[in-house]
Amino acid sequence: TPLTGNIHIPVFLVEFTDKPHTLSATDISAAFNSPNYLNGQGISVSKYFTKQSYGALNVTFDVYGWQTAPQTYSYYSQGNARNLEMMIDAINMHNPIIDYSQYDNDGDGRIDGFVVIYAGQAGIAPNGIWPQARIFQGFYYLVIDGKYFGNIAAVPELGKFGDQFEIP
């Protein structure tokens, strides 16, 4: 991912037949992109990156609306391999509506990153999906729209106490 300039990162919202979402896409988009998040009582993810880079990096998170995953939350919560499967499913189910090549911000042939927000709270297998980040650099078989997969983060929709969105 470039360390300077203006970049875009896709954010996928994923719910399940056995665990629907509770927050709106608008609420989550505000947490990622708002210049005045929580009326100045919080800081959006985008603003965090701008501040940390002293204004050299401006990230816009393109939040795509809620989609229902092909498997249930119970299925994906059965361990690390299924957590990864959920993230790849999220990318693939958004493929018909997204040209992923636009997310190779530095032109290196790799999508710079993905974020998956999944319905519910963080959990531990076999009862939940653990928040995590994955580096796909060595996965040369994962290609979409002519670009290799970049890094990915999976974050729960609800925070520790289950009543608001937070990034752990």
Side-chain angles (χ1 to χ4, degrees), residues 35-50:
N36 191 31
Y37 184 55
L38 298 176
N39 297 319
Q41 299 301 307
I43 184 170
S44 68
V45 180
S46 179
K47 192 168 184 179
Y48 171 83
F49 281 109
T50 300

Side-chain angles (χ1 to χ4, degrees), residues 62-157:
D62 297 333
V63 178
Y64 293 92
W66 290 101
Q67 298 259 348
T68 304
Q71 302 292 334
T72 64
Y73 184 89
S74 297
Y75 173 87
Y76 291 118
S77 68
Q78 294 301 309
N80 200 31
R82 289 203 180 158
N83 288 185
L84 174 61
E85 185 179 343
M86 185 265 306
M87 291 184 268
I88 293 172
D89 283 350
I91 293 167
N92 288 329
M93 68 185 180
H94 283 84
N95 188 26
I97 60 172
I98 299 172
D99 174 10
Y100 284 106
S101 66
Q102 70 180 314
Y103 293 111
D104 178 8
N105 294 284
D106 57 4
D108 68 351
R110 184 172 298 285
I111 298 164
D112 295 314
F114 305 95
V115 178
V116 174
I117 306 297
Y118 57 90
Q121 290 178 270
I124 300 171
N127 301 316
I129 299 170
W130 190 249
Q132 58 192 282
R134 298 282 183 121
I135 298 171
F136 283 132
Q137 188 167 353
F139 291 75
Y140 293 106
Y141 60 90
L142 294 174
V143 177
I144 198 160
D145 291 338
K147 303 289 182 176
Y148 293 109
F149 280 28
N151 301 336
I152 191 167
V155 180
E157 167 198 21

